[in-house]
Amino acid sequence: MASNELFEQVELLCLCLKKETNLHPELEAFNALLTTLISFNIPKLAMECYYLMKEVGCEPDRSSFRIIINGLESSN
């Protein structure tokens, strides 16, 4: 969706993820989502996704932190 510039739909998808109660946390999937959001210059949504990871019990790893830190540094 992001590659097709459907940024509003990406935000809507993230909102739906927040409301989902049966979400099974998967670290690789969250890291892929973080990478995509950062690469399309949507750092605010990437941070929301990061916090969502923690809310659903998916503990971020070094890759997660690296994705966020590098992405936020490059957006400045």
Side-chain angles (χ1 to χ4, degrees):
M1 285 189 276
S3 63
N4 290 320
E5 297 183 11
L6 301 172
F7 299 116
E8 288 180 19
Q9 286 81 354
V10 172
E11 288 185 43
L12 181 60
L13 175 62
C14 288
L15 286 173
C16 290
L17 285 174
K18 285 182 182 180
K19 294 179 183 179
E20 178 61 45
T21 57
N22 295 322
L23 188 63
H24 299 287
E26 194 172 306
L27 184 61
E28 288 182 32
F30 271 111
N31 283 345
L33 181 56
L34 288 173
T35 300
T36 300
L37 294 171
I38 290 294
S39 69
F40 283 95
N41 198 28
I42 314 173
K44 180 181 178 218
L45 208 49
M47 288 305 301
E48 289 179 24
C49 178
Y50 170 79
Y51 291 119
L52 176 63
M53 287 176 73
K54 296 180 79 105
E55 284 179 31
V56 297
C58 185
E59 196 60 37
D61 67 353
R62 292 181 81 152
S63 295
S64 309
F65 292 118
R66 194 173 305 119
I67 293 164
I68 291 293
I69 290 170
N70 291 341
L72 294 176
E73 283 180 344
S74 68
S75 69
N76 290 331

